[in-house]
Amino acid sequence: MTSLSSELLIDKTITFVKKELKNAEGGHDWFHIERVYKNAMHILKTEEANHLVVALGALLHDIADSKFHDGDETIGPKKATEFLISENVSSTTIQHIVQIIKNISFKGGNTTQKFHSKELDIVQDADRLDALGAIGIARTFNYGGFKNRTIYNPEIKPNATMSPEAYKASNAPTINHFYEKLLLLKDRMNTETGKRIAAERHVFMKTFLQQFYAEWEGKK
Ligand code: ADP
Ligand code: NI
């Protein structure tokens, strides 16, 4: 259950996030945040966690993604902190939300996550679910188009063992991203609800790839 003041804070955060992400890339815009928020609320039904931290963490997790800010990872935490201070949120809650923003990202999957909490587990699963399935496919090709990447090149093989720096700098074809991230996510989910939905969306992506390669070969 949330108090009236929490509800008001969540509403103000939604207004703030919508404004900040007005010109965002289509896979990281307000609608991504809205889906992640809904996913997080769904996962929360079967988990014991702080509702306000999960809600604000989901709403603020991509407030200034470093990918769109020359790799600067400090802007997101800074913007979120400034906003939450202006809303008189307690410093304990602010610190927790900042840890969620700093630790949510996949970064190639070859880093050790430095912070753990049930609230981060939930927001991270909610964000990862939006990287999977039909929406995951749509977002991935949108990002590839945004970066003017090749759709597929059989000569450029995927690499799932990249360092965070190499992952960030990669210019590989968009299909490679399935092997470098999307298909790895189902085994990295934190919550039971997250695992169940991820498994279904994983199967859908495999079917998509099968069809993609069949068409690539010109199979009728
Ligand atoms: P993370 O930092 O956790 O990997 P991102 O914000 O980078 O999360 O990724 C979110 C989504 O953006 C991905 O699931 C994918 O759809 C898209 N994306 C990110 N990097 C790439 C890439 N190199 N190629 C294609 N899509 C990408
Ligand atoms: Ni996200």
Side-chain angles (χ1 to χ4, degrees):
M1 272 331 276
T2 44
S3 68
L4 199 57
S5 64
S6 291
E7 289 294 352
L8 194 63
L9 175 58
I10 290 168
D11 281 350
K12 281 180 152 182
T13 309
I14 289 172
T15 304
F16 171 68
V17 175
K18 278 184 179 167
K19 188 166 120 269
E20 286 290 317
L21 296 181
K22 213 169 51 220
N23 300 313
E25 177 265 324
H28 291 82
D29 59 1
W30 160 251
F31 293 113
H32 164 61
I33 306 304
E34 188 178 48
R35 291 189 301 268
V36 171
Y37 180 68
K38 284 182 182 163
N39 289 343
M41 291 303 116
H42 179 65
I43 296 170
L44 189 57
K45 286 184 211 154
T46 47
E47 302 288 335
E48 284 287 326
N50 183 302
H51 177 278
L52 184 64
V53 171
V54 171
L56 297 180
L59 291 171
L60 292 166
H61 83 276
D62 272 337
I63 195 66
D65 188 319
S66 64
K67 275 196 294 313
F68 307 111
H69 293 84
D70 292 325
D72 191 335
E73 291 182 5
T74 65
I75 302 178
K78 186 164 168 280
K79 276 196 175 171
T81 302
E82 281 170 4
F83 169 74
L84 294 169
I85 288 177
S86 78
E87 294 298 331
N88 300 313
V89 175
S90 78
S91 66
T92 318
T93 300
I94 296 179
Q95 279 168 30
H96 197 162
I97 290 160
V98 165
Q99 289 294 358
I100 291 175
I101 298 172
K102 283 186 174 169
N103 288 279
I104 192 170
S105 177
F106 179 70
K107 294 190 177 129
N110 299 306
T111 46
T112 318
Q113 191 179 304
K114 293 188 191 73
F115 175 85
H116 293 273
S117 73
K118 184 49 95 180
E119 289 75 10
L120 171 57
D121 282 353
I122 293 170
V123 180
Q124 190 173 55
D125 274 12
D127 191 32
R128 287 179 171 173
L129 287 178
D130 207 52
L132 299 176
I135 299 266
I137 295 169
R139 291 180 71 215
T140 300
F141 285 101
N142 195 77
Y143 187 83
F146 181 76
K147 291 277 183 180
N148 197 24
R149 302 257 169 88
T150 314
I151 292 175
Y152 175 50
N153 181 344
E155 286 175 11
I156 305 175
K157 301 292 175 208
N159 175 8
T161 59
M162 282 186 279
S163 68
E165 294 72 30
Y167 177 76
K168 227 180 207 178
S170 169
N171 263 327
T174 300
I175 284 284
N176 290 21
H177 197 64
F178 285 79
Y179 303 93
E180 291 167 352
K181 176 181 174 186
L182 310 188
L183 296 172
L184 307 177
L185 293 179
K186 85 163 170 36
D187 293 329
R188 291 165 178 258
M189 302 302 287
N190 306 304
T191 65
E192 287 313 310
T193 305
K195 284 177 193 169
R196 181 177 49 74
I197 303 172
E200 289 165 15
R201 294 187 184 189
H202 182 89
V203 172
F204 185 82
M205 293 192 298
K206 297 277 279 191
T207 307
F208 166 79
L209 288 169
Q210 243 175 3
Q211 177 77 13
F212 183 94
Y213 296 128
E215 292 179 15
W216 189 270
E217 297 298 334
K219 300 230 166 84
K220 301 285 184 303

